[in-house]
Every structure is written in structure tokens, then in C-alpha cells.
Amino acid sequence: MHPTSFGNSDPIFKKDIGFYVFQLPLYEAIRNWLLFALVWGLIVSILVCLLKISFAPNISHFEVLQRE
């Protein structure tokens, strides 16, 4: 990426206007993708954990059967 300077700066943050046109949208897209991947991974891992727990054998039930 080769940003071009606009020659004007933002009065508050002192960044060139070219930053807001060329670089900031890319940074926001990367951040949004990473946030989506994090949330999606969290949801999938919670679902896998819940499914694993629901299909796991009940150990106390097996211990009761072995004692009888």
C-alpha cells in the first residue's frame, strides 16, 4: 500500500488526511475481521464444550452400576 499525502492535516490528531482515506479503512477491516474470528471461535468452542459435556458418560451412574 502506498498512501499519498494530501498536504492537509487533521487539526485534532495531526494526521495527514491521506491516512483517513487510505490506511484507516484497511486497519478497520483487519480489526473487524479479527474481532469476527475471535467471537466465532469463542462461540464454536463453547458449543463444542457443551456438546462434549452432554454426550459424556455419567461417571457416578457407572460407579453405582459396578457396585451392585
Side-chain angles (χ1 to χ4, degrees):
M1 172 185 272
H2 302 289
T4 304
S5 174
F6 277 38
N8 294 329
S9 294
D10 175 33
I12 297 174
F13 298 112
K14 307 294 187 228
K15 292 258 188 201
D16 188 71
I17 302 298
F19 170 78
Y20 299 104
V21 174
F22 297 112
Q23 292 177 326
L24 187 61
L26 176 66
Y27 295 152
E28 286 180 346
I30 292 170
R31 184 201 62 198
N32 289 338
W33 185 87
L34 289 172
L35 181 63
F36 171 77
L38 176 73
V39 170
W40 183 249
L42 183 64
I43 290 171
V44 168
S45 64
I46 288 172
L47 287 175
V48 166
C49 183
L50 290 174
L51 286 172
K52 186 176 180 182
I53 290 171
S54 69
F55 287 116
N58 189 353
I59 294 173
S60 62
H61 178 70
F62 283 118
E63 289 176 358
V64 170
L65 288 177
Q66 289 175 352
R67 289 182 188 168
E68 290 180 17

